[in-house]
Every structure is written in structure tokens, then in C-alpha cells.
Amino acid sequence: MRDSLRLSVPITVWLMSFSAVYGLHGLVCSERLPYADAATRHLLILTAILAVSTQAVFLWGLNSKRWGSPHPFIRTTSIILGVVALISTIWTLFPVAFMSICM
């Protein structure tokens, strides 16, 4: 059971962070909030930083002796999936920090 969690949590956290940041982005650009100023941009960037930090903590945990798997195959695969999820998080949330908020 724990090995299946080690394999699925990094990609699941990436999916949740992607959905949360772009959901917040949609809310900021909707008609419910008539303005998109620097505070909302900082909120989006802060959320993206929180997502990247969460992925980095999970990757560190997968690599530690306490939470890592004792099986070499599961350990290696979960670390690779953690690295892929961290890169995916950075890549998909990159436009939040460097593009205009609403087009």
C-alpha cells in the first residue's frame, strides 16, 4: 500500500497544484473580480511557489531513509516520478510568473 502511494503521490500533487493555480487564475480573470492588479499577481506567484515547494518536499521525503521505500526498484521509480513531477510543476506554472495575468 505504501509503495503505491510513493508512486502516485508526486503526479497527483502536480495535478492538484496545476488545477488549483489555473482555477485561481480563472477566478482572477473572471467577471467576479473586476480588476487584476499586483496583489492578485502576487497571490498567483505565491501559490505557484507553494506548489513547487510542496513537490520539492515530497521529492526530499522520497529520497530519505525514513519515508523512502526499502525496495530499490520502487525507490528509484518513485524518485524518478518525483523529479518528473517537480519539473512538470515548474514548467506548467512558469507562465503564471512571467506572462500577463489576463489577456
Side-chain angles (χ1 to χ4, degrees), residues 4 23 30 36 65 72-74 78 82 86:
S4 62
S30 72
K65 292 202 181 263
F73 176 75
I74 298 295
S78 63
L86 179 63

Side-chain angles (χ1 to χ4, degrees), residues 2-88:
R2 288 185 181 177
D3 287 340
S4 62
L5 285 175
R6 286 183 183 104
L7 293 173
S8 63
V9 163
I11 301 298
T12 305
V13 170
W14 166 76
L15 178 64
M16 291 184 335
S17 64
F18 178 80
S19 299
V21 169
Y22 282 102
L24 182 62
H25 186 266
L27 180 66
V28 166
C29 291
S30 72
E31 295 175 359
R32 293 182 187 258
L33 294 176
Y35 58 90
D37 61 352
T40 56
R41 181 168 186 84
H42 292 324
L43 179 65
L44 285 170
I45 292 172
L46 182 68
T47 309
I49 290 171
L50 180 67
V52 171
S53 301
T54 303
Q55 285 290 0
V57 167
F58 276 128
L59 183 60
W60 175 78
L62 289 172
N63 200 20
S64 70
K65 292 202 181 263
R66 182 176 181 185
W67 292 312
S69 177
H71 306 291
F73 176 75
I74 298 295
R75 184 180 187 93
T76 303
T77 305
S78 63
I79 289 172
I80 289 171
L81 286 172
V83 168
V84 167
L86 179 63
I87 292 169
S88 298

